[in-house]
Amino acid sequence: MNPQGSASLKAELLGAIPSLRAFAMSLSGNIDRADDLVQETLVKAWSNLGSFTEGTNMSAWLFTILRNIFYSEYRKRRREVADPEGQIAARLASAPSQNSHMDFLDFQNALQQLSPDQREALILVGASGMSYEEAADICGCAVGTMKSRVNRARNRLGQLLSTAADGEFDGDSIWNPAEPAMEKMLRAGE
């Protein structure tokens, strides 16, 4: 069959428009949406006219197309979340990961500049979450010595990272997922 269809198919297609419009209106309940559904149906039917078998029920074929379009869009819209102000989308944004990667490299570099005993104390207490007592047992030193090492390591790391000596980070900087880990290590022992 000719992909563009015969003249009788075209006439049958055009003749079905009022019925399609009424059906679309009954499904959507909105005249503008109904007109859009009819238009989408006609476009889809016209582009697939070659698959229609002449002599079968054109109206049934068109109604099926319209119904399928309506329910496909309904399922799609059901999963959508209304966000007219863009507030939800704004919360989904994430900061670029390059900054956090570079910050982490700076942190690693600063950590390597600590003396071995300070670095060990900070990693055991800050990163591993051990108590001062557990860390002191592992290092073979007194608990007071361990606390002193952690405190000196935190202060030195803060200086190396150009932060305040108390380990606070600038609150108005760009969000950085590496900061909580660094801050946890700096605050270890408080």
Side-chain angles (χ1 to χ4, degrees):
M1 181 181 113
N2 178 357
Q4 294 303 316
S6 66
S8 65
L9 283 179
K10 291 177 190 176
E12 205 174 340
L13 190 71
L14 292 174
I17 291 176
S19 299
L20 285 173
R21 194 162 186 255
F23 182 57
M25 183 61 190
S26 71
L27 287 175
S28 68
N30 178 307
I31 190 96
D32 294 326
R33 184 66 200 121
D35 287 342
D36 290 344
L37 281 169
V38 171
Q39 181 178 346
E40 291 174 50
T41 301
L42 293 173
V43 167
K44 194 169 214 170
W46 185 257
S47 65
N48 293 303
L49 202 55
S51 66
F52 178 72
T53 307
E54 265 188 274
T56 58
N57 189 343
M58 170 70 79
S59 291
W61 185 61
L62 292 171
F63 277 72
T64 302
I65 292 171
L66 189 141
R67 182 182 175 280
N68 289 343
I69 291 170
F70 175 78
Y71 283 112
S72 292
E73 290 178 1
Y74 175 77
R75 283 188 296 271
K76 179 181 170 188
R77 285 188 183 147
R78 199 174 72 210
R79 290 186 295 266
E80 292 177 355
V81 175
D83 189 19
E85 301 291 321
Q87 294 172 350
I88 296 172
R91 287 187 301 211
L92 297 176
S94 61
S97 62
Q98 306 92 307
N99 294 339
S100 62
H101 177 70
M102 297 307 294
D103 289 342
F104 185 70
L105 291 178
D106 291 343
F107 175 74
Q108 280 184 316
N109 185 35
L111 190 63
Q112 291 305 312
Q113 292 180 38
L114 296 176
S115 67
D117 62 333
Q118 289 178 358
R119 184 173 49 244
E120 179 182 52
L122 190 61
I123 290 172
L124 288 174
V125 174
S128 300
M130 293 184 182
S131 68
Y132 287 114
E133 292 78 17
E134 293 170 324
D137 284 343
I138 291 171
C139 294
C141 64
V143 174
T145 303
M146 182 56 62
K147 287 182 179 181
S148 177
R149 287 178 185 174
V150 169
N151 186 47
R152 284 192 308 253
R154 286 179 48 230
N155 291 335
R156 179 68 180 137
L157 198 56
Q159 291 169 353
L160 291 170
L161 292 172
S162 300
T163 61
D166 63 347
E168 291 296 324
F169 286 90
D170 183 15
D172 54 0
S173 64
I174 295 175
W175 175 79
N176 183 346
E179 284 181 3
M182 288 189 280
E183 190 169 351
K184 179 183 175 189
M185 287 190 70
L186 290 174
R187 289 186 170 275
E190 284 187 353

